[in-house]
Structure formats: structure tokens, C-alpha cells
Amino acid sequence: MPCYWGDAFGSSLGAGGASIPGTATTRGTDDPEETDAAEWLLLLTDPLCELRVLAALGTADDGLAMPGLQSAGERVADGLRKLPRELSSGSYDEDELARLLQDTGLLDGYNSALDELADSDEFRDACAVVQDDVSAAELTTAVSRAVVATLLADSGEAVICTGDERDRMVDLLSGRIGGTARGALLRASAVLLRLGQRLTPQSVLDRKRGEATSAGASAVGDILRYQARGGPLRDHLAQLIAESPEPPVVIGHSLGGIALVDALALAAIRQEPLPVRLLVTVGSQAPFLHELGALAGLPPGATLPPDFPQWLNIYDRRDLLSYLAAPVFPGDPRVADHEVRSRQPFPASHSAYWKLGAVYDRIGEALR
């Protein structure tokens, strides 16, 4: 007998999704902030990507390079080498770059970021192809962005840095190397921007947030609603079980397993145990929530009550939403885990159980 409970006890977006940014109005792909975010997403993933593109694009050789004269690329390399590697704390007040690095938590990695860039093949290759002043300005800005991107990427979540601070550090580094400020990136920036906009334009992010949040109203949203207001669903399950003409086998998938564990545990604790022959949870988070102390039916760390039924917990290691029950209730002979393998990646693995003969075979074995 199926037990559909979504309409009565599941979640919905009561205000029609009004809380989701971007559902009412969405910026276009020409929004400067969107452009900025797209470029820096790629830089944080691969700080040397602009240098790699510049080296691949090369520069027009006008044949005017004079023997013995320093090339434009060599001037940029020389400017990078001459950057001071030590920024002392005494210079913070008068040195804006030092102060910004300190305030954003990036100062400790500054020296290694400069050395890493200077020693990279990408930097040497880009310097080798730069022959004119326009390309040198582009290279200088790319180098500055690579340094800042390396600092941010290596520091991870420990850094608190705004876009304005990030851009100002790029400006200051560019000036010290000997080039121009932002805006000099032309060819490499255009290539990376097109790629970045394909990956994560804000319009796409807003749409995906809306889709994910709306879907979450029937998935993660159901879990959140259950955690706050799960009593009516547990009462509904208890009533259906009590009305069964014989002790039923109850099977709960995902959140359904959580609700069944809670309902059965609460009934047993109240000394009004429900007549259940076998509890089967499939791809369920109930054991994990109990570890967290987040099950309504069991206090944190509590063992299963005496009148709790036999419990078969079926899981797939590729299903990231399935957990083990037996280790959470060590020594309890009523609890058994059984692994099945759908050979599907997540999230398909979370729903593939019902096509696996091994699931039904194991349930049948538990009923013998």
C-alpha cells in the first residue's frame, strides 16, 4: 500500500519563490559585475590561465626589434623580479599594498606567490612572445591578476576580500611592475570572458538557483519542513500502521525512512508500540541524523527502545544520501545494514534502488 504524503505534509513555496534572488528580475549578460565574476571564477580555478592564453595568442612581430635592446616581455619580467619580496609591518601605514594584503589575510602568501609566478613556464612563455608596448601592458595586468588570483586560491575560505580590494591590489601591482592599471587586458580577457560567460553568467546562476530551490521545495525543502513540523506526518504514519489488518512491513525511502524511524521510536517510548513486522529504510539519512542528535523520536545518543521492530537498512555507497545504521546502534541485533550497488553515480543512485533485484531479495530474506 503506497503512502503519498507530499501534498498534505510536504513543503511548498508559500510566497511563490519571492525569496529567491533573480527570479523577478535578471541582469543581462552585459552586466559589468557579471563579466567580472565570470573572469575571476576562471582565474581562481586556474590563476595562470590568462598567461597561457597570451602565450598561445602571441603578438605581431613588426620586425623593428633592435638587437641588444630589452624586449617588452623582458621589461615586464624585470619589473616582476624587482618587486620587493619583504613588506614589513612598519610600512603598512605608508604602503597601501602591504596594508591591503594584511587586511585581507593574504600577506603571508605574497612572497611565495611572486616566486611561483616568476618560475612558471606560463610566465616565461608569455614574456617570450610579447614584443610591443600594448602587449606588454596586457601582460603586466595579466601577471598582476595571476598573483592576486594565486593568493586568493591558495588561501581559500580563510580570506575575507571584497572585489574592490582585489581590483585595487591588481592596480597597485601593475603600477609597481611598470605597466598600466585595469583595462589593459584585451585579447586574453576576451577569450576567457567568452568561456566564463558560458559557464556561469549570473542569468544562468539565477535560473539554476530558482530551479534548485523550487525542486528543493519537494526534496531538501521537505526535510527542512519535516524537521520543523514533522508531527502531523508521524501521526499519519502511525494511524495507517495501526489500521493495518496485520503487522505490516513498512518501507521508507530517504526522508520516508527518517519519518518511520521517528514514528516507531516515539510510539515505543510512549509504551504504545506500533505493530510492525519489519522496518526497511532505503537510502535514508535516519542514522546520520541520530548521530547529529536531530531525530525527533530518539534523544541524542539514545539506544533504540525495547519495542522497536527489526530494522533492515539498505544503502548504496554511491548514494551520498544513504548511511549505515548498525554502527550507530552497536550490539543491537535488531539492526542490520545491507549494501546494494546500482553502478550509477549520485544522484541517480539515490533513486535506482527500486530497479535492483537485490533490494527485494534482501527484504524477502529478512521475512523468512
Side-chain angles (χ1 to χ4, degrees):
M1 173 182 174
C3 175
Y4 177 69
W5 50 267
D7 290 342
F9 309 111
S11 62
S12 61
L13 295 173
S19 62
I20 307 170
T23 53
T25 59
T26 301
R27 291 170 167 162
T29 56
D30 59 348
D31 187 327
E33 289 188 9
E34 181 175 341
T35 299
D36 190 57
E39 291 177 347
W40 276 94
L41 175 64
L42 291 174
L43 282 167
L44 292 177
T45 304
D46 179 3
L48 303 180
C49 60
E50 282 178 336
L51 294 174
R52 195 174 295 112
V53 172
L54 279 176
L57 291 174
T59 186
D61 187 355
D62 54 16
L64 298 179
M66 298 295 292
L69 293 181
Q70 192 178 42
S71 71
E74 289 170 345
R75 290 200 304 271
V76 175
D78 191 51
L80 179 65
R81 284 192 296 269
K82 290 180 178 178
L83 284 177
R85 292 303 197 265
E86 297 296 332
L87 298 176
S88 64
S89 58
S91 66
Y92 290 159
D93 291 337
E94 61 272 12
D95 188 336
E96 184 181 0
L97 177 60
R99 186 169 65 251
L100 278 171
L101 290 168
Q102 175 72 9
D103 291 345
T104 54
L106 299 173
L107 184 61
D108 289 343
Y110 175 70
N111 292 340
S112 59
L114 293 179
D115 293 337
E116 180 180 338
L117 177 62
D119 293 337
S120 69
D121 292 336
E122 289 83 352
F123 176 64
R124 285 192 290 268
D125 291 344
C127 288
V129 301
V130 168
Q131 300 296 332
D132 56 67
D133 290 341
V134 173
S135 297
E138 186 178 22
L139 175 59
T140 298
T141 306
V143 166
S144 302
R145 283 156 62 102
V147 172
V148 175
T150 299
L151 288 169
L152 291 171
D154 290 347
S155 299
E157 296 179 358
V159 170
I160 302 176
C161 180
T162 67
D164 289 342
E165 290 173 320
R166 176 199 68 203
D167 293 342
R168 184 57 181 157
M169 284 187 279
V170 171
D171 290 347
L172 293 169
L173 280 169
S174 294
R176 294 187 182 193
I177 293 172
T180 58
R182 275 175 293 133
L185 275 171
L186 302 173
R187 300 169 301 153
S189 181
V191 172
L192 295 175
L193 174 59
R194 287 195 297 271
L195 175 58
Q197 285 182 329
R198 288 182 183 179
L199 296 176
T200 56
Q202 189 62 47
S203 56
V204 173
L205 294 179
D206 285 339
R207 185 177 73 249
K208 287 187 178 295
R209 187 210 297 259
E211 292 171 353
T213 308
S214 298
S218 60
V220 176
D222 282 344
I223 296 177
L224 297 175
R225 181 183 175 107
Y226 173 80
Q227 291 297 102
R229 296 179 176 84
L233 174 55
R234 291 191 292 270
D235 293 343
H236 177 65
L237 293 173
Q239 181 180 351
L240 285 178
I241 293 170
E243 291 174 352
S244 175
E246 60 184 60
V249 175
V250 292
I251 302 175
H253 174 247
S254 196
L255 175 56
I258 296 172
L260 282 172
V261 171
D262 272 339
L264 294 171
L266 282 169
I269 289 172
R270 294 169 183 160
Q271 298 185 343
E272 299 174 354
L274 294 168
V276 168
R277 181 178 177 187
L278 174 68
L279 163 66
V280 181
T281 56
V282 181
S284 183
Q285 306 84 51
F288 180 63
L289 289 184
H290 183 51
E291 267 203 282
L292 294 176
L295 277 185
L298 288 173
T303 58
L304 294 173
D307 292 321
F308 196 86
Q310 293 289 124
W311 179 4
L312 171 61
N313 179 62
I314 297 176
Y315 71 99
D316 184 339
R317 292 180 67 180
R318 292 187 180 275
D319 173 13
L320 304 184
L321 293 177
S322 65
Y323 293 86
L324 296 171
V328 180
F329 302 98
D332 193 324
R334 294 170 294 178
V335 184
D337 293 315
H338 182 70
E339 180 182 1
V340 296
R341 298 183 180 182
S342 68
R343 298 176 54 244
Q344 281 280 62
F346 182 82
S349 57
H350 189 55
S351 301
Y353 295 97
W354 313 116
K355 295 289 185 69
L356 300 178
V359 170
Y360 303 99
D361 291 343
R362 184 62 181 84
I363 294 174
E365 180 183 329
L367 292 174
R368 292 196 187 104

